[in-house]
Amino acid sequence: MKVTIEFDGFEEKEELRNALDGDKWKGVVWEMDQELRKITKYGFIGQREATDQERESAEKFREEIRRLLDEWNLILE
């Protein structure tokens, strides 16, 4: 499959950059989700034990990431 995307002029530079960096953005969201998953699954942040509040917050952030992905019809995995 071949796809051509055209942008006209300097004014659309940001849109071009967004189109080209889509995979990078996905990678950032994936890595953040995985870090939050580690906190909820293993209960550690780095080398120290996470507090209950930190674990709950990590789970809520993961849920919010999933909600937003669903709302925007995006697939992370």
Side-chain angles (χ1 to χ4, degrees):
M1 174 190 271
K2 184 176 181 178
V3 176
T4 303
I5 302 173
E6 292 184 23
F7 294 93
D8 296 319
F10 185 76
E11 298 81 27
E12 295 181 0
K13 182 180 177 183
E14 186 174 337
E15 285 85 359
L16 172 61
R17 187 80 263 154
N18 289 339
L20 294 173
D21 287 345
D23 197 48
K24 291 178 185 177
W25 282 98
K26 182 177 181 177
V28 168
V29 174
W30 170 263
E31 287 186 32
M32 178 56 73
D33 181 67
Q34 293 305 299
E35 289 299 316
L36 293 168
R37 178 181 177 272
K38 287 181 203 174
I39 296 168
T40 59
K41 184 172 183 177
Y42 302 111
F44 282 88
I45 300 174
Q47 300 297 321
R48 72 169 177 82
E49 189 171 351
T51 65
D52 289 341
Q53 184 177 7
E54 289 170 328
R55 292 173 85 166
E56 290 172 16
S57 293
E59 184 60 35
K60 287 182 185 205
F61 282 123
R62 283 194 84 208
E63 289 171 4
E64 184 64 9
I65 288 171
R66 295 284 189 264
R67 186 191 69 74
L68 289 168
L69 288 168
D70 186 55
E71 183 178 302
W72 286 81
N73 197 28
L74 296 171
I75 299 171
L76 188 58
E77 285 119 17

